[in-house]
Amino acid sequence: MDAAIPSRYAATYAAWQADPGGFWAEAAKAIDWVTPPKTVFDPSQGAYGRWFPDGVCNTCYNAVDRHAASHPDRVALIYDSPVTGAKKTFTYAQLKAEVATFAAVMADLGVTKGDRVIVYMPMVPEAAIAMLACARIGAIHSVVFGGFAAKELATRIDDCHPKLIVSASCGIEGAKVIPYKPLLDGAIDLAVAKPEHCIILQRPQVDAQFTPDRDFDWEALVTRARLQGKQAPCVPVAATDPLYVLYTSGTTGKPKGVVRDNGGHMVALAWSMGNLYGIKPGEVFWAASDVGWVVGHSYIVYAPLIAGATTILYEGKPVGTPDPGAYWRVISEHGVSALFTAPTAFRAIKKEDPNADHLKRYDLSGFRTLFLAGERADPDTVVWAEKILGVPVVDHWWQTETGWCIVGNPVGLGLLPVKPGSPTVPMPGYDVRIVDEAGHDVPANTMGSIVIKLPLPPGSLPTLWQQDDRFKESYLEAFPGCYSTSDAGFIDDDGYLYIMGRTDDIINVAGHRLSTGGMEEVLSSHPDVAECAVIGMADSLKGEVPCGFVVLKMGVNKTPAVVEKELVQLVRDKIGPVAAFKLAIAVQRLPKTRSGKILRGTMKKIADGTEWSMPATIDDPSVLAEIEEALKGRSG
Ligand code: COA
Ligand code: AMP
């Protein structure tokens, strides 16, 4: 990118501000509609209005069929799996055949428009095929990340009542093979809302046991449908119909079912591929995430395909599969133009290969940009990545709720100067403000709550799955007229935003969003625990890791070490390994204010080894010394 070329960002953002309806109407032309929308935005519908309310469309058609028609031999999806040695390429025509066949299989099992389908799968092409097949027939998919335990899966089953669950016999995490079927069976046992059927992809590493009449083999069903020549057509849906529900951590153990619509989602993603990521049709875009997260939904599956680009589905890690050169291998082998990952992946690579010696083995001359998101991009990591790669490193900030970037550096419009530590400037559609507790704008460089003036742009959530009231309470009530992001930060004199942390109990562990409140619920359920607090503790690799403090009940006749071990296992069993909960510390008391509020903020500062001062409201100052003492020599 030539820094001398002025960015078109300011003019583009101003054009949106001057005429939001006109701006999104123009962007909507990138989509093939069954019935083009006459109305761009209707403020009278939904909680804050709805986008393209009279448009009719199909997301699978836009992601697959239209490209299969105009450039069938272009590669749509590359599956690269260093953990199994498999590599497979699907052209748009081949992807269409796979998706249409699997859509017919689901339709044969009675799945129709509006039905929910849970996809609980590892990073295999069948996961993307299942998602697209749902979109094809108007079914609503809900992908559940493989690192969650049976109970978390059960909670999601009970919330969205799937007719069908699509899963696999196992996932492969680095060197570990993780059987999925026992987790799935456990979840269905726990759930009240039982699915009618399950389709299981048998992988060679593990042979899953089937429940007769309920479970079917993916390969057998697909082979039969192929022989019968069955292919399901794209079903027209309203632009406002849900495409998917994706659960994300809320402030309690009960996750929030973020709803994504069809029309606005496509428009926003199509706009972002060219203008934010600078990707043209036919170029290779790689989001090294997981289909279980929003990044996987938006930028492994939907956006690159809607844009007619080539996407990579990578079943591996940044390190250990087999070495810290894994990312460079994939970039050079598949001609990747832009990579999108979480900073934690780069911290992992830097830790194992600080001089980037592995990079020397590969030709990255076609690689243009690194995008980071999902957690704070620490300036050290940004600067290191920039130095070794010699390309712009673009931090950008967004949330599961928004579905695409809120604040970023629009490479496609011309890169703005990078300030390490800042994700740069708001994208069109987002009027980002920093406000004080009363909701008043604060001056530049002043910390406050980050809010987005309503309406949210296309692509952002219209509501939570069947919980309109929870949606309003969680996001719209704290600052009337605005969406509350639950992030805090400031905007500098140049209009650059800085994200300083969450204002709620969400923590970010290796780019994974987790609720400490949910972990506290699990610890409290242990019979020996009287009270507890979980905080996020700074970690040089994962950004943050959870740390639990527990006060044991009187008369517990186990040693604290035994209970601590049980608690670590309990969180793993109830939430899953992804919680990375490895540290529970038994203490005599928890530090509290005189009104009984646990001083989690001060505990975090002590655990992080950062400067802290005695809170004026503390009930008993000596408790903090006990916490400091208890932390000595302890780490996850
Ligand atoms: N299925 C089952 N288990 C999973 C899983 C999955 N899909 N994903 C992770 N886990 C398990 C891991 O095996 C690990 O288990 P362990 O406690 O038995 O070791 C645990 O969950 C924690 O996983 P993670 O936090 O990812 O730690 P890690 O040590 O395995 O890997 C990184 C650390 C940095 C290499 C890894 O997090 C990574 O590649 N991050 C890249 C960025 C990313 O994916 N971000 C997502 C949002 S964009
Ligand atoms: P998720 O919904 O999993 O994408 O997590 C969203 C949260 O991750 C945000 O609310 C932020 O707290 C954090 N986050 C995401 N991207 C960034 C970023 N670029 N910088 C700082 N924090 C980020």
Side-chain angles (χ1 to χ4, degrees):
M1 198 69 52
D2 187 343
I5 299 175
S7 174
R8 284 181 287 122
Y9 165 74
T12 308
Y13 192 77
W16 164 72
Q17 279 178 309
D19 179 15
F23 183 92
W24 291 117
E26 188 57 32
K29 291 182 184 158
I31 299 308
D32 286 0
W33 299 87
V34 178
T35 309
K38 286 199 184 71
T39 309
V40 176
F41 183 70
D42 180 355
S44 71
Q45 293 189 30
Y48 61 83
R50 296 300 306 261
W51 291 97
F52 311 112
D54 53 4
V56 178
C57 56
N58 183 281
T59 295
C60 180
Y61 179 83
N62 278 276
V64 181
D65 294 56
R66 62 173 176 165
H67 303 299
S70 60
H71 36 81
D73 299 329
R74 182 183 296 168
V75 175
L77 187 144
I78 300 169
Y79 167 55
D80 186 310
S81 169
V83 294
T84 60
K87 279 181 205 170
K88 202 170 170 187
T89 292
F90 296 80
T91 64
Y92 273 99
Q94 288 165 336
L95 185 62
K96 182 185 162 194
E98 298 288 341
V99 170
T101 306
F102 191 66
V105 164
M106 289 198 297
D108 270 358
L109 287 179
V111 178
T112 58
K113 184 172 159 182
D115 286 339
R116 273 79 58 212
V117 174
I118 280 189
V119 177
Y120 183 59
M121 292 190 104
M123 284 290 285
V124 289
E126 288 79 2
I129 290 167
M131 291 163 74
L132 291 161
C134 287
R136 191 172 192 85
I137 57 173
I140 302 164
H141 63 68
S142 185
V143 184
V144 179
F145 178 63
F148 283 120
K151 185 172 168 288
E152 288 286 327
L153 179 55
T155 308
R156 287 152 175 79
I157 295 173
D158 277 336
D159 198 69
C160 76
H161 296 202
K163 192 174 243 180
L164 173 73
I165 299 186
V166 185
S167 188
S169 60
C170 66
I172 300 155
E173 276 299 296
K176 284 174 290 185
V177 174
I178 299 170
Y180 273 32
K181 193 63 185 357
L183 295 169
L184 175 60
D185 288 341
I188 295 174
D189 281 348
L190 285 172
V192 178
K194 315 280 184 203
E196 287 174 17
H197 297 294
C198 299
I199 300 179
I200 311 294
L201 177 76
Q202 290 282 23
R203 304 189 76 189
Q205 295 78 7
V206 171
D207 202 29
Q209 298 301 302
F210 285 7
T211 301
D213 301 325
R214 188 194 73 188
D215 300 345
F216 297 102
D217 177 62
W218 173 295
E219 199 50 49
L221 294 185
V222 166
T223 305
R224 195 175 63 197
R226 252 190 227 124
L227 288 172
Q228 295 170 341
K230 283 191 176 166
Q231 299 221 327
C234 292
V235 170
V237 298
T240 49
D241 279 343
L243 169 68
Y244 69 76
V245 178
L246 177 59
Y247 289 89
T248 190
S249 298
T251 47
T252 64
K254 197 167 171 5
K256 291 169 166 167
V258 168
V259 173
R260 194 81 58 215
D261 70 10
N262 277 275
H265 179 238
M266 283 196 281
V267 171
L269 293 189
W271 186 91
S272 75
M273 280 311 281
N275 296 290
L276 171 58
Y277 297 102
I279 293 293
K280 295 187 186 64
E283 291 189 325
V284 184
F285 186 78
W286 177 24
S289 178
D290 188 288
V291 287
W293 306 117
V294 69
V295 176
H297 283 62
S298 295
Y299 292 104
I300 297 175
V301 181
Y302 289 111
L305 297 179
I306 288 169
T310 299
T311 188
I312 295 189
L313 200 129
Y314 173 71
E315 189 180 27
K317 298 266 175 186
V319 294
T321 59
D323 55 45
Y327 274 21
W328 324 139
R329 194 234 351 125
V330 173
I331 291 172
S332 68
E333 193 173 321
H334 303 301
V336 172
S337 298
L339 165 66
F340 177 166
T341 192
T344 191
F346 268 72
R347 288 196 296 267
I349 297 169
K350 183 175 158 209
K351 196 171 167 196
E352 290 203 7
D353 186 17
N355 299 318
D357 289 329
H358 285 272
L359 192 54
K360 298 177 188 129
R361 297 192 279 135
Y362 300 100
D363 173 12
L364 264 63
S365 52
F367 183 58
R368 293 200 302 263
T369 328
L370 170 66
F371 292 91
L372 299 175
E375 56 169 331
R376 188 178 128 77
D378 52 291
D380 279 358
T381 304
V382 172
V383 169
W384 182 78
E386 236 163 30
K387 194 177 113 208
I388 65 154
L389 292 170
V391 298
V393 176
V394 172
D395 178 19
H396 60 323
W397 169 66
W398 50 298
Q399 307 183 315
T400 305
E401 288 85 345
T402 64
W404 67 290
C405 173
I406 309 166
V407 165
N409 196 333
V411 172
L413 295 174
L415 190 76
L416 294 167
V418 171
K419 294 193 195 184
S422 167
T424 318
V425 290
M427 293 298 99
Y430 293 103
D431 181 349
V432 178
R433 310 274 178 100
I434 311 291
V435 296
D436 61 18
E437 277 177 18
H440 300 129
D441 287 351
V442 299
N445 302 305
T446 308
M447 275 275 286
S449 297
I450 309 175
V451 301
I452 301 165
K453 205 163 168 289
L454 292 172
L456 291 170
S460 294
L461 82 171
T463 190
L464 295 174
W465 178 250
Q466 295 190 335
Q467 290 197 57
D468 293 343
D469 289 343
R470 188 178 180 199
F471 172 68
K472 288 180 199 147
E473 277 158 30
S474 305
Y475 301 104
L476 307 185
E477 279 178 5
F479 302 103
C482 293
Y483 164 88
S484 166
T485 67
S486 294
D487 277 312
F490 64 93
I491 295 178
D492 75 6
D493 294 322
D494 298 325
Y496 278 51
L497 179 80
Y498 291 77
I499 311 288
M500 303 311 287
R502 296 277 306 194
T503 55
D504 56 12
D505 66 357
I506 299 288
I507 58 169
N508 229 302
V509 181
H512 307 141
R513 172 169 158 177
L514 298 160
S515 157
T516 54
M519 292 184 215
E520 288 180 3
E521 283 176 24
V522 173
L523 298 184
S524 304
S525 72
H526 189 286
D528 298 336
V529 170
E531 58 176 344
C532 66
V534 176
I535 56 163
M537 193 162 90
D539 182 82
S540 61
L541 174 64
K542 297 191 177 187
E544 273 181 312
V545 286
C547 170
F549 293 89
V550 291
V551 176
L552 301 186
K553 286 182 184 158
M554 297 287 280
V556 170
N557 59 4
K558 291 177 203 155
T559 65
V562 167
V563 182
E564 288 171 0
K565 225 172 136 199
E566 287 174 6
L567 291 171
V568 167
Q569 191 57 43
L570 194 65
V571 175
R572 200 177 169 88
D573 291 345
K574 299 275 184 210
I575 297 178
V578 68
F581 185 85
K582 306 253 158 105
L583 192 57
I585 302 176
V587 291
Q588 294 300 320
R589 297 172 294 172
L590 293 174
K592 290 184 185 166
T593 61
R594 280 186 284 278
S595 60
K597 203 166 161 260
I598 298 173
L599 290 159
R600 291 182 179 78
T602 313
M603 291 166 78
K604 176 174 168 50
K605 284 188 182 145
I606 294 174
D608 289 353
T610 53
E611 226 173 89
W612 61 276
S613 51
M614 189 62 70
T617 53
I618 194 162
D619 183 33
D620 179 353
S622 68
V623 186
L624 287 175
E626 288 172 26
I627 295 289
E628 217 164 8
E629 193 56 33
L631 274 160
K632 278 194 186 137
R634 304 286 288 260
S635 70

